[in-house]
Amino acid sequence: MQEITSHFPHGEGRRCVITRRACFSSSHLYLLPELSQDDNSALFGPCSLSPGHGHNYELIVAMEGPLNEFGMVLNLSDVKHAIKKEVTSQLDFRFLNEAWPEFDLSKPEGCLPTTESLVRIIWERLKSHLPLLSLRLYENPKLWADYQGNAMDAYLTVQTHFSAAHRLAREDLPQKENEKIFGKCARPNGHGHNYFVEITVKGKIHPRTGMICDLSALNSLINDLIVEPFDHTFLNKDIPYFSDCVPTAENIALHISDKLTKPISAIGGSLYKVKLQESPNNAAEVYTNASESKTDIQESINEINLLR
Ligand SMILES: [Zn+2]
Ligand SMILES: [Zn+2]
């Protein structure tokens, strides 16, 4: 008879991060009873229109732990059932404002069911069942929140895009030298990209509005300061900053970060990261606070994103 604990190589005891994706569709309404309809409308725009609207949410649960003797951190079937029991079966096809008492706005402690407040409360529901590392909740493919169990601290990311041309070359170098450094990107008449930009803001979730910053103000800033001025331009010629700064993906990401840092502070958030995807093959990421280097958590979430 063969022993189960034979010399079969495996990673028992070694730590690993695993992820599980779950989806649910829910509706919500941003309407604070202590405010007039006009004030609600001014603060929350069309999100305050009764009886509400819905989203197809996507939740990514990242968990961490040592591998067991069967080569798993956890039995995935247990993970799936915990997420279904504690989260998706309670939220799917429901009105979020009424699904969980945390969103009961008739009580002073009730909070609007924003993406960032929802992901925080999902963490509270799951933390005693699963070894959570981080949660990401997509409200749609262009808006998501990340939460790592740190009280009211959360991250909100907005994705947008613009199309622009550029040429990579330094004016002080001869063309031959530029071609040696920048290759085809140095060709004299330039070329273009459809750029995707992710703006990640860090902040504390407001206990009543559920927001880390005013989302419509954030969208306006990104549109007014980045998308409108950059879209359909030749960056080297149309954007003064790039007249003497080579518009590499890295430099564009840095410039976007510099343009947004102060205005985002003014609306109560803190710019955490700018990611510029230049093509399917290359991207640049800039972290506003140099001490906040890319962590394992971010790395694993980026991996998940690539696989989506
Ligand atoms: Zn909504
Ligand atoms: Zn290029």
Side-chain angles (χ1 to χ4, degrees):
M1 216 170 87
Q2 200 182 355
E3 278 189 47
I4 294 177
T5 53
S6 65
H7 307 291
F8 192 80
H10 56 68
E12 185 175 358
R14 292 178 66 186
R15 300 188 77 79
C16 189
V17 175
I18 58 165
T19 56
R20 176 78 196 177
R21 172 178 171 266
C23 297
F24 57 94
S25 301
S26 310
S27 61
H28 62 179
L29 173 65
Y30 294 177
L31 197 71
L32 292 175
E34 65 271 31
L35 300 180
S36 68
Q37 180 64 53
D38 283 349
D39 287 345
N40 273 302
S41 176
L43 276 173
F44 310 124
C47 297
S48 68
L49 291 174
S50 292
H53 63 281
H55 300 284
N56 295 319
Y57 289 94
E58 187 179 328
L59 175 69
I60 308 289
V61 181
M63 295 151 284
E64 202 243 349
L67 267 63
N68 62 21
E69 67 209 276
F70 306 112
M72 297 186 286
V73 172
L74 292 161
N75 186 317
L76 267 188
S77 152
D78 294 342
V79 173
K80 189 173 137 184
H81 284 117
I83 296 171
K84 189 171 183 185
K85 182 166 178 281
E86 302 301 323
V87 181
T88 52
S89 68
Q90 299 182 30
L91 301 182
D92 200 20
F93 285 78
R94 308 291 165 87
F95 181 41
L96 292 173
N97 301 51
E98 293 173 2
W100 282 347
E102 291 90 336
F103 301 130
D104 181 356
L105 298 168
S106 67
K107 300 208 174 94
E109 66 274 20
C111 181
L112 287 179
T114 61
T115 317
E116 54 270 44
S117 72
L118 182 54
V119 76
R120 185 184 77 81
I121 292 165
I122 289 173
W123 178 286
E124 291 302 313
R125 301 287 174 126
L126 285 177
K127 70 179 181 187
S128 58
H129 302 275
L130 297 170
L132 299 179
L133 179 67
S134 65
L135 293 181
R136 172 170 287 185
L137 181 66
Y138 288 87
E139 185 178 275
N140 63 59
K142 293 180 173 182
L143 179 71
W144 62 91
D146 290 292
Y147 185 73
Q148 285 134 22
N150 300 318
M152 297 302 263
D153 290 341
Y155 301 82
L156 190 70
T157 301
V158 174
Q159 192 209 63
T160 185
H161 72 275
F162 63 88
S163 302
H166 69 170
R167 175 177 174 248
L168 304 186
R170 268 178 47 173
E171 296 300 332
D172 56 330
L173 298 177
Q175 178 63 13
K176 269 211 154 57
E177 191 65 24
N178 274 319
E179 279 175 14
K180 223 189 271 175
I181 299 164
F182 299 106
K184 285 194 286 190
C185 301
R187 285 178 179 173
N189 295 317
H191 64 278
H193 296 283
N194 292 316
Y195 289 96
F196 285 89
V197 195
E198 293 174 11
I199 313 289
T200 302
V201 175
K202 184 181 178 181
K204 293 208 178 297
I205 300 167
H206 187 280
R208 186 64 170 162
T209 66
M211 295 178 180
I212 63 169
C213 72
D214 182 337
L215 180 59
S216 60
L218 177 64
N219 281 328
S220 300
L221 285 177
I222 295 168
N223 196 50
D224 296 349
L225 297 174
I226 309 299
V227 178
E228 271 306 309
F230 286 14
D231 195 28
H232 287 69
T233 61
F234 194 130
L235 294 168
N236 310 54
K237 296 182 180 182
D238 297 321
I239 305 296
Y241 182 83
F242 294 118
S243 62
D244 60 357
C245 171
V246 185
T248 56
E250 296 91 320
N251 270 332
I252 301 168
L254 279 165
H255 186 49
I256 291 172
S257 171
D258 291 345
K259 286 186 78 162
L260 288 175
T261 300
K262 273 189 188 166
I264 287 176
S265 295
I267 59 163
S270 162
L271 180 63
Y272 175 69
K273 186 179 87 170
V274 172
K275 178 177 176 183
L276 184 80
Q277 188 86 41
E278 192 173 66
S279 76
N281 300 328
N282 69 296
E285 290 183 29
V286 169
Y287 289 79
T288 307
N289 183 346
S291 67
E292 303 245 37
S293 63
K294 197 161 89 168
T295 63
D296 292 343
I297 298 166
Q298 251 77 43
E299 190 132 31
S300 67
I301 285 173
N302 289 343
E303 293 294 323
I304 299 160
N305 218 16
L306 280 176
L307 297 172
R308 291 175 79 243

